[in-house]
Amino acid sequence: MHSLFKKLLLHHPELQAEVADLNGFVEPPRTYPPGAVIGRNRSVPGAVFVISDGWVLASHYLANGASQVVDIRLPGDFLYDQGNLGSSVGLEYVAVTEVRLREFRLSTEALLRATSIRLASAMMAEVTRDRQVITQHLVNVGRRDPAVRTAHMLLELAVRAEKVGLGDAHRFRFPLTQSMLADALGMSAIHLNRVLRKLRESKLVSFQNSMVTFEDFDAITRFAGFERGYLE
Amino acid sequence: MHSLFKKLLLHHPELQAEVADLNGFVEPPRTYPPGAVIGRNRSVPGAVFVISDGWVLASHYLANGASQVVDIRLPGDFLYDQGNLGSSVGLEYVAVTEVRLREFRLSTEALLRATSIRLASAMMAEVTRDRQVITQHLVNVGRRDPAVRTAHMLLELAVRAEKVGLGDAHRFRFPLTQSMLADALGMSAIHLNRVLRKLRESKLVSFQNSMVTFEDFDAITRFAGFERGYLE
DNA sequence: CGTACGTTTGAAACTGCTCAATGCCTGTGG
DNA sequence: CCACAGGCATTGAGCAGTTTCAAACGTACG
């Protein structure tokens, strides 16, 4: 079994057999270079992808050139229809690192239909979890001050990365540029840079050389008011 | 048939019969006064509600007293588990107007299990739509300037309200206070007030006496860069 | 009539943005 | 092996946009 369903099985270990049935619908893995847009040439409209390796941004581009990163997707996460990828809605999945992923030859709906109801509701739960993550980002951007907001985001990603075996909770590889992270946090890259400096000087977290290191995990958790509950 | 499934059937008229089967799981309607918190005393953990009447805010409260409105729910919308309502996550549904709603004696998961796969995927689609709405709110708060952001939100609500038969696209009843709307837009109520004045003076939209009126629907649609695609 | 709640306005302080320049690291070609 | 270009990070200065605090106003309701 590939790492493909790592995350799904993590939450629902009892689904081993059902998940195995899905293998018949899976395309061989495909690789994208950094910067590539994912999902432009799908086998089926609405097809679902699963990330095997690499980081992916779900970004929304505005007419004036600004962009908002809506979600950051890690190995084990699904990439699914957000109202037809790349449609007029302006939402796109973009590879940050080199990305390896697999595609189902099925739309979200067909995937539900093809599988057991138990698996369907596990996927539903997965979607619900995604929704909560986005909800947190909304709270972040709307109402948390920039330093807290930044800390919160980094903590979330640390926990998510750890869950799928990338680094531990105190130190992990973080391949985004500051400007990408700024787009996720709804602020300018320059200001983010200054915020990061302050966080580093406060000995809370450092972000250097594509590595995030928490100097004092408890302190920053308190500082950010981070409750990991929404990720479980 | 109550207005209960108005919205679901709107998107999936073929599900008439299946929806009727659900009636067995539905509690009699319950009414909440303005300001009431919904979902504290559910019959089943994770139970799902459907709004029959009234407006509901999904809000997240922060430790410092600030709050972010994550979604605005209208008649026909579901209220479902956001990681166990009212848990440590701090998310709550609050009645804006007097609200009438019905509760299923089933969790989201059990609801899926109890129904046909077709209905399940219709609900899945509903959840996906919700996700897109939240995504738009995130883009709004993160990257659109306050006037555009405000216009965008009002347009979205106009369209959603119209869909379930509340007012037409040019004029509709809008029961939120400015301070609630500000919490949805991630800005201060005072600043929102000034933005509203500017919009009114530009003859784009007026918001007075709980009524929103678009003076020039096309103009404001252009101004806000509003694409209604994500609501369909 | 008075209270409560929401809206509106003013003024001052501050936060975060833009523009512009510099520094740093890496990969490439001479 | 060095020079140079490109991408990203960092810093400074000035400015515009937002927030905060405070107060007045309006309206609905007891």
Side-chain angles (χ1 to χ4, degrees):
Chain A
M1 165 81 38
H2 1 264
S3 68
L4 180 55
F5 294 105
K6 210 184 325 192
K7 199 175 160 215
L8 190 61
L9 290 175
L10 192 81
H11 291 115
H12 304 276
E14 74 283 7
L15 296 178
Q16 193 89 32
E18 273 126 336
V19 161
D21 290 346
L22 284 180
N23 283 329
F25 296 106
V26 176
E27 300 267 352
R30 213 188 319 173
T31 316
Y32 296 79
V37 175
I38 295 167
R40 277 287 169 67
N41 304 306
R42 289 180 294 184
S43 58
V44 170
V48 177
F49 299 83
V50 186
I51 303 177
S52 307
D53 256 312
W55 291 50
V56 173
L57 298 183
S59 298
H60 187 107
Y61 298 93
L62 297 179
N64 65 11
S67 74
Q68 172 71 40
V69 170
V70 162
D71 198 2
I72 299 174
R73 311 295 283 163
L74 271 46
D77 288 339
F78 291 91
L79 307 183
Y80 47 86
D81 212 341
Q82 308 191 323
N84 291 319
L85 289 171
S87 75
S88 64
V89 188
L91 206 44
E92 276 184 349
Y93 288 115
V94 180
V96 176
T97 59
E98 176 165 289
V99 168
R100 210 174 73 237
L101 49 75
R102 292 179 150 245
E103 181 184 352
F104 292 98
R105 289 188 306 280
L106 293 168
S107 69
T108 317
E109 227 193 68
L111 190 58
L112 276 183
R113 225 189 312 265
T115 62
S116 75
I117 200 84
R118 264 167 69 207
L119 182 52
S121 64
M123 290 192 55
M124 184 81 163
E126 198 69 25
V127 174
T128 301
R129 223 182 328 276
D130 287 350
R131 184 172 182 275
Q132 290 190 61
V133 170
I134 297 183
T135 297
Q136 279 298 325
H137 292 177
L138 180 51
V139 174
N140 237 3
V141 171
R143 283 289 183 239
R144 284 199 254 257
D145 86 59
V148 171
R149 187 191 313 178
T150 304
H152 197 279
M153 177 71 76
L154 292 177
L155 281 166
E156 179 194 304
L157 289 168
V159 170
R160 287 174 59 193
E162 186 193 18
K163 279 197 181 213
V164 292
L166 306 170
D168 61 44
H170 296 264
R171 186 174 166 76
F172 68 106
R173 181 165 187 73
F174 185 78
L176 305 215
T177 64
Q178 291 188 4
S179 145
M180 291 169 183
L181 181 57
D183 277 343
L185 296 171
M187 53 180 148
S188 76
I190 293 174
H191 190 229
L192 171 62
N193 181 279
R194 295 192 233 265
V195 168
L196 286 172
R197 170 148 56 101
K198 221 184 303 176
L199 289 175
R200 194 182 328 125
E201 285 168 1
S202 321
K203 302 261 185 268
L204 287 173
V205 56
S206 83
F207 170 19
Q208 268 161 345
N209 278 92
S210 302
M211 276 284 165
V212 169
T213 312
F214 298 104
E215 317 280 353
D216 183 341
F217 197 83
D218 291 340
I220 195 174
T221 298
R222 252 178 288 114
F223 174 72
F226 178 67
E227 303 270 355
R228 52 185 289 167
Y230 70 97
L231 295 173
E232 322 281 350
Chain B
M1 164 81 40
H2 2 264
S3 69
L4 179 56
F5 293 105
K6 207 184 326 189
K7 199 175 160 217
L8 190 61
L9 289 176
L10 193 81
H11 290 116
H12 303 276
E14 75 283 5
L15 296 178
Q16 195 90 29
E18 273 127 335
V19 162
D21 291 345
L22 284 180
N23 283 330
F25 296 107
V26 176
E27 301 267 351
R30 217 194 308 179
T31 314
Y32 296 80
V37 175
I38 295 167
R40 278 287 169 67
N41 303 307
R42 289 180 294 184
S43 58
V44 170
V48 177
F49 299 83
V50 184
I51 304 177
S52 308
D53 257 314
W55 292 48
V56 174
L57 299 183
S59 298
H60 187 108
Y61 297 93
L62 296 179
N64 65 11
S67 74
Q68 172 70 40
V69 170
V70 163
D71 199 2
I72 299 173
R73 311 293 285 164
L74 270 46
D77 288 338
F78 291 92
L79 307 183
Y80 47 85
D81 213 343
Q82 308 191 324
N84 292 318
L85 289 171
S87 73
S88 63
V89 187
L91 207 44
E92 276 183 349
Y93 287 114
V94 180
V96 176
T97 60
E98 176 165 288
V99 168
R100 209 173 74 238
L101 48 75
R102 292 179 151 244
E103 180 184 355
F104 294 97
R105 287 188 308 280
L106 292 168
S107 68
T108 318
E109 226 193 71
L111 188 59
L112 276 182
R113 226 189 310 266
T115 63
S116 77
I117 200 84
R118 263 167 70 206
L119 183 52
S121 64
M123 290 192 56
M124 184 82 164
E126 198 70 26
V127 173
T128 301
R129 224 181 328 276
D130 287 350
R131 184 174 182 272
Q132 289 190 62
V133 171
I134 297 183
T135 297
Q136 279 297 326
H137 292 177
L138 180 51
V139 174
N140 236 4
V141 171
R143 284 287 183 241
R144 283 199 254 257
D145 86 60
V148 171
R149 188 190 313 179
T150 304
H152 197 278
M153 176 73 75
L154 291 177
L155 282 166
E156 178 194 305
L157 290 168
V159 170
R160 288 174 58 192
E162 187 193 18
K163 280 198 180 211
V164 292
L166 307 170
D168 62 44
H170 296 263
R171 187 173 165 76
F172 68 107
R173 184 168 184 68
F174 184 78
L176 306 215
T177 64
Q178 291 188 5
S179 143
M180 291 171 184
L181 182 56
D183 277 343
L185 296 171
M187 54 179 145
S188 74
I190 293 173
H191 190 230
L192 172 62
N193 182 280
R194 296 192 234 263
V195 167
L196 286 172
R197 171 150 53 103
K198 221 183 304 174
L199 289 174
R200 193 182 328 125
E201 284 168 1
S202 321
K203 303 261 186 267
L204 288 172
V205 56
S206 83
F207 169 20
Q208 268 161 343
N209 279 91
S210 302
M211 276 284 168
V212 169
T213 312
F214 298 103
E215 316 282 354
D216 183 341
F217 196 82
D218 290 340
I220 195 174
T221 299
R222 251 177 290 114
F223 173 73
F226 179 67
E227 303 272 355
R228 52 184 288 168
Y230 70 97
L231 295 173
E232 322 282 351

